[in-house]
């Protein structure tokens, strides 16, 4: 088993065990604050273009991406990336990695040419360069640049560095960017 997959499998299983009480608490919070399923499944494109259902905690009332009506716990879950914790199951299944480019919806990964094709050469990740580099403060196009850089330069040491920087980024949460504010490219 390659080292990256071994780290993914071991790390995700350990995290699932350690976070089990928190995952159960979050699932109950989602269930009791609004009707509907606890988890959502989003169609995404994975390694070699294979489709899979990415799991997240439901944070919207109607489970619509463009629906701005948050559940009572939706906003804090998204702010601190807690809605993405069920993706550890996707990692165990081999559909995702702990670190990699964000998985794209099938319509966003067509046609797979250039950078789009390159990103299909690695498993998509729960976290990556974009997430630790300012995410909501960066322009959307920057995600492609950072994801392509990761695809071209990834190695286990970079993965460990990204993982180490993910927890502080999640604790700090997403910071809203005021309209017209300059964008920080750090």
């Amino acid at each position: 088993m390659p080292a990256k997959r071994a780290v993914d499998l071991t790390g995700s299983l350990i995290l699932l065990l350690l976070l089990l009480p928190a995952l159960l608490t979050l699932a109950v919070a989602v269930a009791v604050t609004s009707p509907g399923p606890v988890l959502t499944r989003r169609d995404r494109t994975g390694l070699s273009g294979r489709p899979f259902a990415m799991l997240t905690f439901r944070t919207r009332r109607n489970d619509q991406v463009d629906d701005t009506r948050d559940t009572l716990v939706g906003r804090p879950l998204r702010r601190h990336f807690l809605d993405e914790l069920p993706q550890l199951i996707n990692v165990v299944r081999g559909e995702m990695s702990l670190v990699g480019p964000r998985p794209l919806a099938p319509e966003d990964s067509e046609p797979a040419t250039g950078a789009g094709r390159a990103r299909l050469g690695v498993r998509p990740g729960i976290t990556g360069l974009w997430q630790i580099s300012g995410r909501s403060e960066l322009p959307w196009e920057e995600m492609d640049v950072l994801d392509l850089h990761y695809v071209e330069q990834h190695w286990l040491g970079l993965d460990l560095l990204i993982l180490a920087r993910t927890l502080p980024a999640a604790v700090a949460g997403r910071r809203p960017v005021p309209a017209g504010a300059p964008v920080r490219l750090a």
Side-chain angles (χ1 to χ4, degrees):
M1 174 182 304
K4 181 171 176 62
R5 180 67 186 137
V7 168
D8 283 343
L9 192 54
T10 304
S12 59
L13 288 172
I14 289 171
L15 285 170
L16 281 169
L17 287 173
L18 290 175
L19 297 174
L20 187 59
L23 289 167
L24 292 174
T25 302
L26 293 172
V28 168
V30 169
V32 300
T33 58
S34 66
V38 171
L39 296 177
T40 61
R41 299 173 190 276
R42 306 253 185 249
D43 292 334
R44 294 295 181 256
T45 304
L47 179 66
S48 302
R50 285 189 292 269
F52 71 97
M54 183 179 74
L55 302 172
T56 60
F57 282 120
R58 184 175 49 82
T59 61
R60 307 280 186 186
R61 291 194 188 275
N62 292 331
D63 189 30
Q64 299 297 316
V65 175
D66 58 352
D67 182 3
T68 58
R69 290 174 295 167
D70 291 322
T71 63
L72 186 61
V73 297
R75 185 169 289 157
L77 286 177
R78 281 194 320 279
R79 179 173 178 82
H80 297 285
F81 313 108
L82 298 173
D83 61 321
E84 297 180 7
L85 288 176
Q87 292 169 25
L88 290 168
I89 296 167
N90 292 111
V91 176
V92 171
R93 289 190 209 163
E95 299 160 335
M96 291 180 71
S97 177
L98 291 173
V99 179
R102 281 305 294 161
L104 296 178
E107 61 271 12
D108 293 334
S109 53
E110 301 275 335
T113 59
R117 181 181 287 294
R119 75 183 298 132
L120 297 177
V122 297
R123 281 186 181 87
I126 296 175
T127 188
L129 286 172
W130 184 56
Q131 289 84 342
I132 64 167
S133 298
R135 191 175 191 161
S136 61
E137 296 177 6
L138 296 177
W140 181 254
E141 298 79 22
E142 191 73 14
M143 179 188 75
D144 283 336
V145 172
L146 290 169
D147 281 350
L148 184 58
H149 177 75
Y150 175 82
V151 168
E152 293 173 346
Q153 304 295 323
H154 77 279
W155 59 289
L156 192 55
L158 179 59
D159 282 8
L160 296 175
L161 175 67
I162 291 170
L163 287 171
R165 291 185 57 197
T166 296
L167 183 59
V171 170
R174 295 180 175 124
R175 292 180 295 271
V177 178
V183 176
R184 181 178 61 88
L185 296 175

